[in-house]
């Protein structure tokens, strides 16, 4: 196997308690020819100090500091600095297995593709890591990938997150993360897939995404979070224009985006500030209520959400909180 340089880009911001775990798993990578570009986006805690202490013994790690400009601009800066033939993103509060880079690189070479994707797992604090029995790897066209994404038939939580993938650096020519906007994954990853035309998928879990179960409930909803729907609509429109056969699948994807956004609004402590937005989203979903309700791709969560929404926004709020509680207990 070739041994080309891989650039690992790690954005950081006020993540002092995660530094040691993340840096440690990067240092243990079985693929050794890599550089690590760490860009601190204006941390006000001890993130930078902890980083300097953790990487002082390894010249492959470079730390860059900047005033807070957001995750998109930070990732773009990392891409501009990167010298590797391939790029990988890792979030500072997540964890990667020691063969994360080697696994993705082997898929790139095995299938002669420009993007390789591994399975990831989203974990709550104290959650158990899954073991995938008889994991497969295969190649899939971009059209099929997004059809299955909309139909919820992609395995193991595969989606559009920028991490958990290896990209040929040349894919980023003329493609940047949208600076000044949130939800940069929905706005960017699909463009890279369209440019690459195919991707290799490996079903082995190599990336652990740690989520804070309480953050959604405790954090007030802000208007800029509505940008998620803007990014999703752009993705749906561009993919449908390129691949007309997946129009229905992309409509499903947007339905899920509407339901997800509405759920985050209704459980927010400041939900009354977004009364008009709630009604607008509800009306959009109710226009095709029976078609949406009897969609064969629905999960139990989808059915519960749609039925409760039919009863009104208070019922939708109760249903979503119930689902999150059961999810946390691993009952569904």
């Amino acid at each position: 196997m070739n041994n080309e340089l891989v650039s690992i880009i790690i954005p950081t911001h006020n993540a002092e308690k995660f530094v040691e775990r993340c840096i440690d798993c990067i240092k243990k990578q079985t693929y050794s020819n890599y550089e690590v570009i760490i860009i601190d986006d204006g941390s006000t805690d001890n993130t930078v100090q902890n980083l300097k202490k953790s990487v002082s013994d390894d010249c492959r790690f470079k730390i860059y500091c900047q005033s807070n400009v957001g995750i998109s601009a930070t990732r773009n800066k990392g891409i501009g600095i990167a010298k590797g033939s391939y790029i990988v993103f890792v979030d500072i509060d997540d964890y990667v297995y020691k063969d994360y880079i080697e696994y993705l690189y082997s898929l790139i070479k095995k299938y002669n593709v420009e993007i390789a994707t591994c399975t990831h797992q989203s974990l709550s604090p104290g959650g158990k890591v899954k073991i995938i029995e008889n994991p497969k790897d295969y190649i899939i066209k971009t059209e099929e990938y997004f059809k299955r994404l909309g139909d919820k038939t992609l395995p193991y939580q595969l989606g559009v997150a920028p991490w958990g993938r290896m990209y040929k650096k040349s894919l980023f020519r003329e493609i940047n993360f949208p600076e000044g906007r949130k939800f940069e994954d929905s706005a960017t990853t699909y463009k890279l897939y369209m440019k690459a035309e195919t991707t290799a998928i490996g079903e082995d879990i190599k990336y652990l995404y740690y989520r804070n179960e309480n953050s959604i409930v405790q954090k007030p909803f802000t208007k800029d979070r509505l940008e998620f729907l803007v990014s999703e609509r752009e993705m749906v429109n561009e993919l449908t224009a390129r691949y007309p056969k997946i129009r229905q699948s992309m409509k499903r994807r947007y339905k899920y985006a509407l339901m997800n956004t509405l759920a985050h609004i209704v459980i927010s402590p400041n939900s009354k500030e977004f009364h008009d937005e709630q009604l607008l989203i509800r009306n959009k979903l109710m226009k095709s209520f029976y078609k949406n309700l009897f969609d064969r791709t629905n999960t139990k969560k989808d059915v519960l959400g749609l039925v409760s929404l039919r009863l009104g926004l208070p019922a939708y709020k109760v249903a979503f909180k119930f689902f999150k509680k059961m999810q946390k207990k691993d009952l569904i």
Side-chain angles (χ1 to χ4, degrees):
M1 182 185 295
N2 294 328
N3 195 28
E4 297 168 282
L5 180 66
V6 174
S7 297
I8 305 172
I9 299 174
I10 307 177
T12 67
H13 178 72
N14 289 345
E16 58 182 9
K17 63 181 179 179
F18 304 114
V19 167
E20 185 176 355
R21 182 182 68 190
C22 182
I23 298 304
D24 184 60
C25 68
I26 298 296
K27 284 183 175 181
K28 292 179 179 178
Q29 289 299 301
T30 55
Y31 189 98
S32 60
N33 190 23
Y34 63 81
E35 63 170 358
V36 183
I37 300 166
I38 305 172
I39 303 178
D40 183 74
D41 190 34
S43 290
T44 55
D45 61 3
N46 293 316
T47 296
V48 175
Q49 294 90 320
N50 292 353
L51 282 167
K52 290 179 179 178
K53 188 184 302 182
S54 297
V55 307
S56 60
D57 61 342
D58 196 326
C59 64
R60 295 174 299 181
F61 290 75
K62 303 294 183 184
I63 302 172
Y64 301 85
C65 297
Q66 63 186 25
S67 58
N68 183 242
V69 293
I71 187 67
S72 289
T74 302
R75 287 203 173 105
N76 289 338
K77 181 175 180 177
I79 295 167
I81 295 171
K83 298 178 181 177
S85 300
Y86 295 94
I87 287 176
V88 167
F89 295 104
V90 176
D91 281 358
I92 191 69
D93 52 348
D94 294 338
Y95 177 88
V96 296
Y97 284 75
K98 65 181 181 180
D99 58 344
Y100 174 60
I101 304 299
E102 181 179 1
Y103 185 71
L104 290 172
Y105 186 77
S106 68
L107 290 172
I108 289 273
K109 292 305 173 183
K110 178 178 180 179
Y111 292 103
N112 190 29
V113 292
E114 295 180 304
I115 301 179
T117 301
C118 69
T119 297
H120 78 273
Q121 183 181 348
S122 181
L123 277 179
S124 302
K128 295 182 179 179
V129 178
K130 296 178 182 178
I131 297 176
I132 307 298
E133 296 184 5
N134 302 316
K136 304 180 180 67
D137 58 72
Y138 45 90
I139 191 171
I140 185 172
K141 292 183 178 180
T142 293
E143 180 177 13
E144 180 64 17
Y145 184 92
F146 283 95
K147 179 183 186 303
R148 295 177 65 182
L149 178 66
D151 294 344
K152 289 190 175 181
T153 58
L154 276 177
Y156 313 116
Q157 300 181 321
L158 293 177
V160 294
W163 39 257
R165 311 171 199 276
M166 179 175 287
Y167 312 85
K168 193 168 184 179
K169 185 185 177 183
S170 58
L171 288 175
F172 287 93
R173 293 173 188 158
E174 300 179 357
I175 296 178
N176 296 310
F177 290 99
E179 299 187 11
R181 283 176 54 180
K182 293 184 180 294
F183 305 101
E184 76 289 346
D185 48 1
S186 295
T188 308
T189 305
Y190 77 93
K191 295 179 181 179
L192 298 167
Y193 271 70
M194 289 171 68
K195 191 171 182 179
E197 297 184 347
T198 57
T199 184
I201 293 178
E203 293 182 349
D204 250 341
I205 293 176
K206 300 300 177 185
Y207 194 106
L208 298 181
Y209 166 76
Y210 287 97
R211 66 178 186 265
N212 183 349
E213 286 293 332
N214 295 320
S215 62
I216 294 175
V217 177
Q218 295 178 347
K219 199 171 184 180
F221 191 87
T222 57
K223 193 169 184 178
D224 57 9
R225 292 186 65 184
L226 293 170
E227 291 176 8
F228 174 61
L229 294 179
V230 176
S231 294
E232 287 286 315
R233 171 53 68 186
E234 288 176 356
M235 178 176 71
V236 167
N237 287 345
E238 288 194 42
L239 285 166
T240 299
R242 173 77 70 88
Y243 311 113
K245 293 181 180 179
I246 67 171
R247 182 180 301 276
Q248 287 304 118
S249 301
M250 289 295 95
K251 284 185 177 180
R252 291 189 182 104
R253 172 73 183 185
Y254 193 64
K255 174 188 73 175
Y256 303 139
L258 289 170
M259 294 178 68
N260 182 269
T261 301
L262 181 58
H264 290 156
I265 297 176
V266 299
I267 65 172
S268 173
N270 65 334
S271 60
K272 291 182 180 179
E273 297 177 21
F274 297 93
H275 177 71
D276 292 345
E277 287 82 359
Q278 292 180 64
L279 292 180
L280 179 63
I281 295 173
R282 182 181 185 273
N283 289 340
K284 286 182 179 180
L285 289 166
M286 289 300 99
K287 282 182 179 179
S288 304
F289 173 73
Y290 289 107
K291 183 178 181 180
N292 287 335
L293 182 64
F294 295 107
D295 191 322
R296 59 181 175 79
T297 67
N298 280 340
T299 63
K300 292 179 181 179
K301 177 185 176 183
D302 299 331
V303 174
L304 175 63
L306 287 166
V307 172
S308 62
L309 186 57
R310 183 77 169 184
L311 298 175
L313 291 169
Y316 191 68
K317 177 179 179 178
V318 171
F320 185 72
K321 284 192 171 183
F322 172 78
F323 174 82
K324 296 300 291 184
K325 185 177 181 179
M326 294 298 100
Q327 186 183 50
K328 189 172 182 179
K329 293 181 177 180
D330 294 325
L331 295 178
I332 55 177

